[in-house]
Amino acid sequence: MAAKKILKYVIFDIMRSRLIITYTLLLLVLSFGIIYLGRDITKATVSLLNIVLLIVPLVSIIFGTIHFYNSQKFIEMLLALPIKRSNIFWAEYLGLAVSLSIGFVIGTGIPLLAYGASVTGVYLLLTGIFLSFIFSGFAFLSAVINKDKAKGIGLSLMIWFYLSILFDGLVLMISLFFNDYPLENVILVLTALNPIDLARVMILLKLDISALMGYTGATFEQFFGSMMGTIFSIGFLLMWITLPALGALRLFNKKNF
Amino acid sequence: MKNNTVPEKVKIINKNSGEESNIISLYDTVEQAEPQNEIISIKGLKKSFDKNLILKGINVSFSKGTIAAVMGPNGSGKTTLLKCVLGLVRPEAGEITVNNINIKNNCEYRKFIGYMPQTPRFPENLKVKELIDMLKDVNGNECDYDEELLIKLNLQAIYNKPIGTLSAGTKQRVSGSLSFLFNREIIILDEPTAGLDPVSCEIMKEKIIKEKENGKLIIITSHIVSEVEALADRIVFLLEGNVHVNSTVDELKDRTDESNLNKAIAKIMVNHGS
């Protein structure tokens, strides 16, 4: 109950910050631009997808980490009130994730709606929200682990770099080195290990353009068909939301402020 | 006036493996605080950071209607001790009770405590008014607010300013007023006058004394000896993670044969060194 009240004010505070407004405007401009230039809404959605997969995790994790360090003193003040630690954590976490999601939905949703989005557009919004939540969790995790702000931001950048760039390289290397073996199952498992890949697969399954799907997408299609693939990826995305957040909560409960 | 009915209390704790130190020979009375007035009791409190033992087994208790000053050199664990009481820092060993409630795994006891941190920082984009409303909201909107400091420190003039635009001293004033807002029985102030202008400083001190007379316990940390001398009834002096001295101000002066608190404290520290 107290958590809900704090949540309200945390969202108030974040929604007014310049960074989140810039983020929303940036997404607005990008989305309008891409859709306008792309003409075809499906092609535009794919281009938009690639940008969303890059920008949303980056902004979420960096903004989230900085936000945690900036709120630390305020959290300290809240902790001196008769409120459970876990409630304060959830209020802060949800406040961040919800604000980022709102910014994203406004920035990407309005252009998509204006140009008549398909189901894929809705899925794009959904993945963006998932990614905002997941990377808010990572942000809090790395901020709770590191007392030092610079180290925390460093770790966050590394997580982002690993998941959005390094990981694909690794998968590619594995598939090159072991291309004599049946790798489908391995690739499936590897994909589940990266929320960004999962998000990509989820959208691409909806788009039904096999040429663009790449290795992981094709395997998914083959194994599950569209429906099962979507359920599978949503399930794992949900797991990716809970794991970092719960990890961060555990450490938060033990933390010395 | 200060100790009208309560007998003078002195308690010296020496944790250095039971060795007699020269301090024990300086003071011979070892008494417990009055149990009926005792509101915070700390027993065997230990805390370390990165294998550095900051608090090495603190035993101390605080009673209602007093102003206690926690003093000690930088890094002696003053803030850590207070944060342990607030539950901000999780101790490794020891027991803390507030109003006879063991604070471990409990958050309800904090409704007895008002806290002013050393360096306050609030959400930058909220307005002062919104912050106050939020705190009232979170605290369940009890109606018995003590808005005296908010008025006296002239904070109503800045109610509609975002907190991010306020100066450090103004934030300190806001923070100080908030610690008194909810009429808590215990008020913990971590360096309450640092960064305040002389006028605000005086208002703050008056308020502290007034609330003490209302029967509250006020714990302050401070490096300003004159301030402690003017305010405090008791001094808890921390040194290297132990309670080095715990006595009333007058007694401290008597025992060290110094009329000046500054010199008395210097003497304690020198004695410790020898």
Side-chain angles (χ1 to χ4, degrees):
Chain A
M1 198 192 53
K4 242 188 259 166
K5 288 171 185 164
I6 301 171
L7 174 65
K8 192 174 84 189
Y9 288 94
V10 171
I11 293 179
F12 260 14
D13 180 47
I14 298 181
M15 290 307 278
R16 271 188 221 160
S17 85
R18 212 171 299 150
L19 230 143
I20 202 108
I21 296 171
T22 318
Y23 172 58
T24 312
L25 289 179
L26 177 83
L27 282 173
L28 260 178
V29 172
L30 270 175
S31 312
F32 266 123
I34 286 171
I35 297 174
Y36 179 73
L37 290 174
R39 304 279 170 198
D40 177 23
I41 187 87
T42 316
K43 272 188 206 159
T45 312
V46 178
S47 320
L48 206 53
L49 169 71
N50 285 319
I51 287 167
V52 165
L53 289 180
L54 215 63
I55 290 182
V56 170
L58 180 64
V59 172
S60 300
I61 201 167
I62 296 300
F63 180 72
T65 314
I66 295 172
H67 172 75
F68 185 89
Y69 286 111
N70 286 348
S71 335
Q72 200 148 352
K73 288 283 165 187
F74 177 63
I75 293 175
E76 206 179 296
M77 204 183 81
L78 290 177
L79 285 172
L81 301 173
I83 309 168
K84 268 196 211 152
R85 266 196 188 199
S86 50
N87 284 343
I88 294 171
F89 176 84
W90 288 122
E92 283 286 335
Y93 169 73
L94 288 177
L96 173 71
V98 169
S99 316
L100 283 167
S101 302
I102 294 175
F104 170 76
V105 168
I106 293 175
T108 320
I110 290 179
L112 278 175
L113 273 181
Y115 284 88
S118 52
V119 187
T120 326
V122 177
Y123 268 85
L124 184 66
L125 292 183
L126 200 67
T127 26
I129 294 172
F130 268 121
L131 288 176
S132 304
F133 273 80
I134 292 168
F135 282 85
S136 301
F138 276 124
F140 273 30
L141 188 62
S142 78
V144 174
I145 290 173
N146 292 295
K147 233 184 153 120
D148 183 46
K149 190 173 176 175
K151 276 188 194 161
I153 294 176
L155 179 62
S156 291
L157 270 176
M158 265 164 62
I159 293 174
W160 174 79
F161 188 71
Y162 172 74
L163 289 178
S164 42
I165 294 160
L166 270 188
F167 192 89
D168 280 351
L170 288 177
V171 172
L172 213 65
M173 250 170 63
I174 289 173
S175 58
L176 267 179
F177 281 141
F178 300 99
N179 65 359
D180 291 343
Y181 302 91
L183 278 179
E184 285 81 358
N185 288 325
V186 180
I187 298 292
L188 268 182
V189 173
L190 285 178
T191 308
L193 290 180
N194 184 346
I196 298 180
D197 269 1
L198 275 171
R200 181 181 292 128
V201 166
M202 197 169 93
I203 301 279
L204 290 177
L205 282 175
K206 281 286 141 205
L207 278 175
D208 205 28
I209 27 175
S210 46
L212 281 171
M213 298 227 294
Y215 199 33
T216 40
T219 329
F220 256 79
E221 177 85 277
Q222 216 179 355
F223 260 74
F224 296 111
S226 236
M227 198 55 216
M228 275 303 286
T230 310
I231 293 171
F232 178 86
S233 40
I234 288 185
F236 270 95
L237 282 173
L238 284 174
M239 185 200 82
W240 275 110
I241 291 180
T242 41
L243 282 186
L246 286 181
L249 173 67
R250 253 182 81 92
L251 294 171
F252 185 84
N253 274 331
K254 285 191 213 149
K255 191 176 162 68
N256 298 308
F257 280 87
Chain B
M1 187 55 208
K2 257 184 231 163
N3 309 302
N4 35 9
T5 55
V6 184
E8 297 203 330
K9 297 158 251 167
V10 191
K11 195 164 70 169
I12 291 99
I13 284 93
N14 189 28
K15 279 270 147 312
N16 294 332
S17 58
E19 274 174 45
E20 288 256 326
S21 84
N22 35 22
I23 284 303
I24 291 287
S25 56
L26 244 167
Y27 309 111
D28 35 22
T29 5
V30 177
E31 275 174 40
Q32 291 295 321
E34 291 290 293
Q36 68 269 27
N37 278 330
E38 185 180 299
I39 189 160
I40 297 181
S41 124
I42 300 169
K43 287 188 192 111
L45 184 70
K46 282 185 187 158
K47 177 70 199 171
S48 56
F49 286 109
D50 300 328
K51 291 178 185 155
N52 242 331
L53 209 51
I54 302 291
L55 302 176
K56 299 175 182 166
I58 300 280
N59 292 294
V60 69
S61 54
F62 298 99
S63 338
K64 284 179 208 169
T66 51
I67 300 174
V70 178
M71 300 187 79
N74 295 330
S76 56
K78 303 182 293 290
T79 300
T80 307
L81 175 66
L82 297 186
K83 283 186 172 179
C84 280
V85 173
L86 284 157
L88 291 172
V89 167
R90 308 283 205 207
E92 272 132 45
E95 192 187 84
I96 303 173
T97 56
V98 173
N99 257 347
N100 291 321
I101 303 170
N102 189 335
I103 68 160
K104 206 173 178 185
N105 299 324
N106 185 314
C107 65
E108 286 302 310
Y109 79 93
R110 286 192 221 118
K111 63 175 179 251
F112 303 117
I113 305 179
Y115 171 54
M116 173 182 181
Q118 206 163 20
T119 42
R121 218 180 296 148
F122 309 111
E124 301 272 294
N125 306 303
L126 286 186
K127 291 172 183 163
V128 178
K129 181 93 179 89
E130 285 169 333
L131 177 75
I132 294 170
D133 286 344
M134 176 186 116
L135 289 175
K136 285 181 179 176
D137 211 12
V138 169
N139 276 292
N141 279 321
E142 0 164 9
C143 7
D144 193 19
Y145 298 121
D146 179 1
E147 296 188 328
E148 187 186 344
L149 269 189
L150 282 174
I151 296 161
K152 280 200 175 161
L153 290 174
N154 209 7
L155 291 173
Q156 277 159 329
I158 54 157
Y159 264 13
N160 283 319
K161 281 194 185 171
I163 297 167
T165 63
L166 302 180
S167 72
T170 311
K171 282 184 197 164
Q172 193 82 2
R173 271 154 56 201
V174 173
S175 170
S177 325
L178 291 178
S179 60
F180 286 99
L181 185 62
F182 296 101
N183 248 319
R184 313 283 207 208
E185 286 170 58
I186 303 165
I187 313 253
I188 295 178
L189 308 165
D190 202 347
E191 308 211 3
T193 56
L196 288 186
D197 61 72
V199 179
S200 310
C201 211
E202 279 314 305
I203 294 173
M204 192 75 180
K205 283 185 193 164
E206 271 170 34
K207 181 69 180 165
I208 291 173
I209 291 171
K210 188 179 162 192
E211 290 309 314
K212 167 207 153 185
E213 277 156 11
N214 285 339
K216 292 183 181 173
L217 162 66
I218 292 143
I219 303 178
I220 59 173
T221 70
S222 183
H223 288 293
I224 309 163
V225 177
S226 62
E227 185 182 295
V228 170
E229 195 167 11
L231 290 174
D233 305 314
R234 308 175 60 73
I235 292 183
V236 174
F237 197 89
L238 296 183
L239 204 58
E240 288 164 14
N242 293 308
V243 177
H244 195 58
V245 171
N246 177 2
S247 73
T248 64
V249 176
D250 294 336
E251 213 153 31
L252 187 64
K253 287 183 194 163
D254 281 355
R255 304 269 169 168
T256 46
D257 265 340
E258 293 287 351
S259 56
N260 180 319
L261 186 61
N262 225 334
K263 283 186 180 159
I265 285 170
K267 208 165 185 177
I268 296 169
M269 292 178 72
V270 169
N271 271 328
H272 179 80
S274 62

